[in-house]
Amino acid sequence: GQNIDQPTEMTATEGAIVQINCTYQTSGFNGLFWYQQHAGEAPTFLSYNVLDGLEEKGRFSSFLSRSKGYSYLLLKELQMKDSASYLCAVRDQDDYKLSFGAGTTVTVRA
Amino acid sequence: DAGVTQSPTHLIKTRGQQVTLRCSPKSGHDTVSWYQQALGQGPQFIFQYYEEEERQRGNFPDRFSGHQFPNYSSELNVNALLLGDSALYLCASSLRLGGKETQYFGPGTRLLVL
C-alpha cells in the first residue's frame, strides 16, 4: 500500500501564495494527482504529474520529484473561492485505483 | 457534455437494510470506480469496473458489491448496513489513454445509516 502524507490545515491571506506538500511511499509509481474539494461537494481534478518537474496551469502549479517521493501544489494569487480541501492521490504501477491522502484544508482570509 | 451523475443525492437507511447507489459515467468514458469518503478523510477505493467486470477491489467486505451495465453505467450495492457505512459515496469515471488515465468524480451520494 501507500503512505501519503500532507498537512492537515493551512491558512493564508487573499492574494498570497500557498504551497501544499505531499509525500508518498509506494512500491511502484504511475502518476500523482491533485484534486480540489469544496465542503459538501465532489473532488474536482486539478493536475496530473507522472514525470519530474513543474506543471503550470494558470494560478495553480504542481511539482513532482519521483526520487524523493515528493510533490507540491502551489496556489498563487489566492482568492476566497480557493478555500477548500486539497487532496493528493497516487497511482501505483500496474494499479487502477487512486490512493488518497487525508487532504489539506486551506482557509483564505481577507 | 454531461459529466458524471449519481443518484440519489442523499439517502437515510437503518442498520441491517440494503442500499443501491447509481452512477452514469462522463460521456465517452468506459471505466467506473467507486470510493467511500468518511468525514474529514480522503476517499477510500472500493472497486473499479471495466467491460462489465470488477477489475480491482479495495479492502472492503463482501457486503459491498457492484455491477456495470453495457452502457457503462454502474451500481454499488451495500447489504446489511452498519452505522460505520455512513459516508459520502463517490463514483469516478475514466478512459484509459496510453496509460494516462484521469478519474473524474460525480457529485456523490451521502448515505446516513441510523
Side-chain angles (χ1 to χ4, degrees):
Chain A
Q2 297 86 3
N3 288 325
I4 301 170
D5 290 317
Q6 50 181 131
T8 305
E9 295 181 352
M10 302 183 76
T11 301
T13 306
E14 197 173 15
I17 299 173
V18 71
Q19 177 176 314
I20 307 169
N21 296 324
C22 172
T23 58
Y24 63 90
Q25 295 175 326
T26 181
S27 53
F29 179 81
N30 193 20
L32 186 141
F33 298 78
W34 285 96
Y35 286 83
Q36 178 192 60
Q37 186 175 28
H38 285 100
E41 298 182 10
T44 56
F45 169 73
L46 290 178
S47 68
Y48 167 76
N49 294 73
V50 68
L51 299 176
D52 290 352
L54 187 68
E55 294 277 344
E56 296 187 83
K57 198 184 287 187
R59 294 188 300 113
F60 293 2
S61 303
S62 57
F63 172 83
L64 175 68
S65 169
R66 289 171 295 171
S67 62
K68 295 181 179 178
Y70 168 70
S71 172
Y72 67 73
L73 180 69
L74 195 69
L75 286 61
K76 301 179 224 176
E77 301 169 18
L78 279 171
Q79 303 175 8
M80 300 299 287
K81 67 178 182 180
D82 298 329
S83 293
S85 178
Y86 291 85
L87 297 162
C88 172
V90 172
R91 185 167 63 217
D92 259 357
Q93 191 73 33
D94 298 326
D95 212 358
Y96 299 109
K97 72 176 189 291
L98 294 180
S99 296
F100 283 84
T104 299
T105 300
V106 171
T107 302
V108 181
R109 293 181 175 170
Chain B
D1 180 19
V4 182
T5 59
Q6 292 185 243
S7 63
T9 55
H10 294 80
L11 205 51
I12 300 175
K13 292 285 188 178
T14 56
R15 279 182 301 175
Q17 285 189 310
Q18 177 265 343
V19 68
T20 298
L21 310 181
R22 295 176 177 83
C23 171
S24 291
K26 185 177 167 67
S27 178
H29 285 185
D30 57 7
T31 302
V32 173
S33 304
W34 287 92
Y35 292 82
Q36 180 195 66
Q37 187 176 25
L39 205 59
Q41 299 297 316
Q44 297 295 311
F45 176 76
I46 303 174
F47 41 54
Q48 184 181 90
Y49 277 85
Y50 173 71
E51 292 188 339
E52 303 179 51
E53 297 285 334
E54 183 185 286
R55 181 156 71 172
Q56 186 176 10
R57 188 179 184 91
N59 295 325
F60 279 81
D62 292 345
R63 298 187 297 110
F64 289 77
S65 64
H67 189 77
Q68 186 179 34
F69 298 94
N71 66 353
Y72 307 118
S73 67
S74 177
E75 288 183 350
L76 164 65
N77 300 290
V78 187
N79 294 322
L81 283 167
L82 303 174
L83 296 180
D85 295 332
S86 295
L88 178 66
Y89 288 85
L90 294 163
C91 167
S93 76
S94 55
L95 176 66
R96 205 159 183 92
L97 285 173
K100 178 181 176 180
E101 176 186 335
T102 298
Q103 295 185 11
Y104 294 89
F105 286 86
T109 294
R110 191 163 295 281
L111 173 65
L112 178 61
V113 182
L114 302 176

